[in-house]
Amino acid sequence: MFIKKLRAFFVLALSLSLVACEKADTVEEDATATTAPVTEAVPEPAPVVEADKAEIAWFDGSVEEAFALAKAENTPLFLYWGAVWCPPCVEIKNTVFKSPQFIAQTELFVPVYLDGDTEHAQEWGDRFGTKVYPTMIVFNPEGDEVTRLNAGVDISAYNTVLELSLESMQPMDELVAAALEAPATVSDTDFQRLAYYSWYDGKALPEGAPAQAFLSLSEEAAETNPEAGARLYLQYLTMLAEEEISDPQAPARLGAILTSPALVFASWDYLLAPEPIVPALGGNDEDIATLKEGWATVMMDARHDERLSTRNQLYGWRPYLVFHFEGAEEKSKPVPEDIVEAISADGRAADESVAGTHSRQSVINTASNVYVLAGMTEDARTLLLAEIEKSKTPYYFMGSLAYVEEEEGNDAVALEWRRKAYEASEGPATRIRWWASYVQALTRLAPENGAAILQAAMYPFDPEQGMSDLFAGANKRNLQRAKNALEEWDMEETELDEFHAALVEACAEAGADCTEL
């Protein structure tokens, strides 16, 4: 019965959206949905930010000194982990970090800005378990992790997370353990902390914790905090898919989330990426097809919600495009012309709206991703070529352009963009990231050019390049992917003696554990 009602709702919504898909549709409040308060009690007023104090007063010292100060002054610590080339980082630094409210809140913390290219930053990244830029982590005065956020959630969530952190300094791993053991004892505030925690790279989840535990948490949270319940349920589906298990009840529960505008907005970061969730959907094929149709429609209709950042508005197209090409080979199923026109209109509007702003890097990156996903290759190419001339970190867009050209079969052009990106990149950790991509491209697109491959392979070991932390964090992961590509290219194991010798020597000098390399 529920699926039949859901089908009727989705068919109506689809017909309306296709008529006016270029308009800025307004999402009305669902009369049946209740939005739970963010906190159980009114927090203390944030300090007033003086007119001339428009920046966060980042701690001027080492990370060790920052933790020592936090402990000595019994003050929580806010850590921002980012990189200058990272599009969401640029957006956050110039939106969230410029917000008077956020600046005021950070005065209650020891705020630490750790750029991935600074000395020993990748070693700290290993210690904190950070895998993506940007990541924000709150620690209590004793140095225990209270919560963490990555770039997935909308920027409006960051103020909320800091407020929640101030209410409870309980270590996240203790909260998780207590919540898994007795979901009924968790408060609304703690459900909110759990719902917005970065499970992707967070270390609070015990190894082997079953997906079923999140189902119990989501059901308990839904009683008083439906937004937290929805997010925890989507985390349950994500983990269930990883366990290669499907739930026949999932289409109905997910469908209920999709019929509530409040829950759709609260869960936007989960819903814009169907791929990790779909494998957990059980039941018959017809119900799942109906759910996917509705999923795409709801996201398209809600994509102009003013509460969403421009980047997340553009990503409202993702579910439709993912489902449209599902099972199709090499995008052989053209996107309807009216949808192409609507995507193009959204891309142009987004481009114009961020002209001359710091959000541009993130928005242009997103627009090009959506164009590529839709098969609008020429639009993506035009956008990226123009941005290379404007960006302070053009190598990022050079890499994106290389991907576009390779997808089109233009291997020589793609390889040239990879080379340019690698040579233009700045900062030791940034350089090794683009170096690894260049090595992979060389071995993949020009395997006959052994001289160029072997020359490029030796870059990390050149003392003039100033590489540091080679065997830590993202540096080690990028070194690993380059090494894998090189060894796959050199199947006969006759060409890489110099590379392997240099790797062993560098590892010994660093005193690192290279058994996994």
Side-chain angles (χ1 to χ4, degrees):
M1 180 64 69
F2 179 85
I3 288 295
K4 289 182 179 178
K5 291 181 179 179
L6 186 63
R7 182 178 293 114
F9 168 84
F10 284 157
V11 169
L12 175 61
L14 179 62
S15 64
L16 292 174
S17 69
L18 292 180
V19 170
C21 60
E22 291 188 30
K23 296 181 180 179
D25 302 324
T26 300
V27 178
E28 298 179 354
E29 280 298 322
D30 183 351
T32 63
T34 57
T35 304
V38 170
T39 60
E40 292 181 312
V42 178
E44 290 296 321
V48 176
V49 179
E50 299 173 7
D52 62 347
K53 194 172 185 179
E55 295 184 355
I56 296 173
W58 297 107
F59 178 76
D60 185 17
S62 69
V63 178
E64 294 95 335
E65 291 169 340
F67 275 99
L69 178 64
K71 185 173 184 179
E73 296 189 350
N74 195 33
T75 303
L77 184 146
F78 170 77
L79 175 83
Y80 166 73
W81 163 262
V84 295
W85 55 265
C86 155
C89 299
V90 175
E91 182 174 21
I92 286 171
K93 284 191 292 185
N94 292 282
T95 52
V96 177
F97 291 175
K98 297 295 185 183
S99 160
Q101 181 185 357
F102 194 87
I103 293 170
Q105 287 176 319
T106 61
E107 293 184 6
L108 304 175
F109 296 77
V110 175
V112 179
Y113 177 11
L114 185 59
D115 186 279
D117 279 308
T118 55
E119 189 175 6
H120 303 306
Q122 294 302 322
E123 294 175 6
W124 281 108
D126 271 344
R127 187 177 303 188
F128 299 139
T130 53
K131 295 179 182 177
V132 294
Y133 299 125
T135 296
M136 280 66 67
I137 309 177
V138 173
F139 298 89
N140 65 20
E142 297 301 316
D144 302 310
E145 180 177 313
V146 173
T147 194
R148 73 167 60 198
L149 274 174
N150 60 39
V153 300
D154 202 71
I155 58 177
S156 60
Y158 298 122
N159 287 334
T160 298
V161 169
L162 281 193
E163 290 178 6
L164 295 175
S165 300
L166 288 170
E167 287 195 31
S168 174
M169 286 288 108
Q170 180 186 18
M172 179 57 78
D173 57 357
E174 290 183 9
L175 172 58
V176 170
L180 295 182
E181 182 177 350
T185 65
V186 180
S187 68
D188 273 358
T189 297
D190 284 339
F191 272 133
Q192 198 81 352
R193 286 177 62 199
L194 292 167
Y196 281 94
Y197 186 68
S198 175
W199 301 106
Y200 167 72
D201 59 349
K203 301 188 293 184
L205 191 64
E207 187 174 352
Q212 194 70 24
F214 278 82
L215 177 61
S216 300
L217 284 171
S218 70
E219 291 172 344
E220 193 67 41
E223 295 294 323
T224 56
N225 191 332
E227 293 182 8
R231 291 184 62 83
L232 290 168
Y233 183 74
L234 292 169
Q235 181 60 31
Y236 155 69
L237 293 183
T238 301
M239 293 176 63
L240 197 68
E242 291 174 355
E243 296 176 6
E244 299 184 349
I245 301 173
S246 61
D247 181 353
Q249 304 302 316
R253 176 78 186 272
L254 180 52
I257 292 173
L258 290 167
T259 56
S260 167
L263 299 186
V264 168
F265 175 74
S267 307
W268 194 265
D269 52 313
Y270 278 102
L271 295 174
L272 63 81
E275 298 94 325
I277 295 174
V278 166
L281 302 179
N284 65 65
D285 293 342
E286 183 181 0
D287 286 348
I288 293 175
T290 298
L291 178 70
K292 290 178 179 178
E293 181 181 295
W295 190 338
T297 299
V298 166
M299 298 291 281
M300 285 192 296
D301 284 352
R303 73 186 187 277
H304 291 135
D305 189 314
E306 293 181 355
R307 294 172 295 178
L308 296 168
S309 66
T310 305
R311 172 173 63 94
N312 273 337
Q313 288 183 15
L314 287 170
Y315 272 144
W317 286 108
R318 280 202 87 257
Y320 171 86
L321 295 171
V322 169
F323 296 142
H324 177 82
F325 289 114
E326 204 170 43
E329 293 184 5
E330 298 182 358
K331 296 191 176 178
S332 57
K333 184 181 177 183
V335 174
E337 189 59 35
D338 57 340
I339 297 294
V340 170
E341 291 175 0
I343 292 173
S344 181
D346 281 358
R348 289 195 303 272
D351 188 352
E352 293 171 3
S353 73
V354 295
T357 71
H358 291 287
S359 296
R360 185 169 183 81
Q361 177 113 335
S362 178
V363 170
I364 296 302
N365 172 60
T366 302
S368 67
N369 287 343
V370 172
Y371 286 159
V372 169
L373 189 58
M376 299 165 61
T377 304
E378 191 55 42
D379 296 79
R381 181 184 287 115
T382 300
L383 188 67
L384 292 168
L385 282 170
E387 202 59 27
I388 286 171
E389 300 300 319
K390 304 172 185 176
S391 176
K392 293 181 179 179
T393 55
Y395 48 87
Y396 185 88
F397 295 104
M398 291 174 183
S400 299
L401 193 55
Y403 174 82
V404 169
E405 297 295 355
E406 186 172 347
E407 286 288 290
E408 289 294 292
N410 303 323
D411 292 353
V413 178
L415 187 56
E416 181 64 8
W417 280 119
R418 292 288 181 195
R419 182 189 65 79
K420 288 181 177 180
Y422 153 57
E423 292 180 352
S425 59
E426 299 175 346
T430 298
R431 231 29 245 282
I432 197 170
R433 179 183 294 266
W434 265 266
W435 163 77
S437 295
Y438 178 53
V439 168
Q440 287 179 305
L442 269 172
T443 58
R444 184 174 64 248
L445 303 178
E448 73 286 351
N449 195 346
I453 292 172
L454 293 173
Q455 181 181 4
M458 299 305 294
Y459 157 72
F461 314 113
D462 182 352
E464 295 185 3
Q465 298 298 335
M467 275 302 306
S468 62
D469 300 342
L470 185 59
F471 301 100
N475 290 348
K476 185 176 181 179
R477 294 190 292 273
N478 286 313
L479 180 60
Q480 181 70 69
R481 66 187 178 101
K483 178 174 177 286
N484 291 345
L486 288 166
E487 290 177 346
E488 186 174 342
W489 167 74
D490 185 28
M491 295 295 290
E492 297 180 3
E493 300 182 359
T494 59
E495 303 287 343
L496 294 175
D497 289 348
E498 186 180 0
F499 172 82
H500 284 134
L503 180 63
V504 170
E505 182 180 352
C507 190
E509 288 181 358
D513 179 7
C514 298
T515 54
E516 297 179 2
L517 280 173

